[in-house]
Amino acid sequence: MQMLQLGGHYIGITPANNLMGHGFYQFSPELYYNVFSEENGFKMVKAIICAQKRDGSFSDWYEVVNPREVKSRVMFTNDVPAYLMVIAQKTAETEIFKKSPQQSDYENIW
């Protein structure tokens, strides 16, 4: 995050299978949406998920919405490998993690 210049982009691809909305500290969509937040000087450009079929081809690509906006965990359950692809843009120089990211469905409880 600190290596990017203003206007630069983070591009990441990570495995994402089953229960990716359960547990904040894994490579879940909510982790990315919270890390690459306005408070940390970023904006999420796009989060996409797709699955690799047994024949090696890929499923349709699906845009993943921010769980905080839909007020629900974003789940994707299947029995083949899946990939979460993220693009975020650095919009400001800020103190990163001044406020620790929290999983939205636990935020009010904590």
Side-chain angles (χ1 to χ4, degrees):
M1 293 170 74
Q2 293 171 327
M3 291 175 25
L4 287 175
Q5 293 181 352
L6 265 173
H9 289 80
Y10 167 88
I11 300 172
I13 300 173
T14 185
N17 271 67
N18 305 323
L19 295 177
M20 66 182 185
H22 181 69
F24 185 74
Y25 291 101
Q26 59 179 311
F27 293 99
S28 67
E30 187 161 18
L31 174 65
Y32 283 107
Y33 274 105
N34 281 283
V35 166
F36 294 115
S37 65
E38 188 175 330
E39 293 93 12
N40 290 322
F42 282 82
K43 74 171 182 177
M44 283 286 289
V45 175
K46 192 78 67 175
I48 297 170
I49 196 164
C50 72
Q52 188 172 13
K53 299 176 186 176
R54 296 191 194 292
D55 67 4
S57 65
F58 288 90
S59 71
D60 292 335
W61 292 28
Y62 302 96
E63 187 166 357
V64 182
V65 294
N66 187 343
R68 187 176 306 279
E69 291 176 13
V70 296
K71 297 177 179 30
S72 174
R73 293 179 180 178
V74 176
M75 305 297 281
F76 184 80
T77 305
N78 65 3
D79 62 351
V80 294
Y83 301 92
L84 177 62
M85 296 161 274
V86 174
I87 302 172
Q89 184 177 27
K90 189 169 188 174
T91 57
E93 292 289 349
T94 62
E95 180 183 341
I96 296 173
F97 301 131
K98 184 175 182 177
K99 177 187 170 207
S100 296
Q102 301 291 321
Q103 189 171 352
S104 61
D105 56 349
Y106 293 114
E107 200 166 38
N108 292 331
I109 296 170
W110 293 334

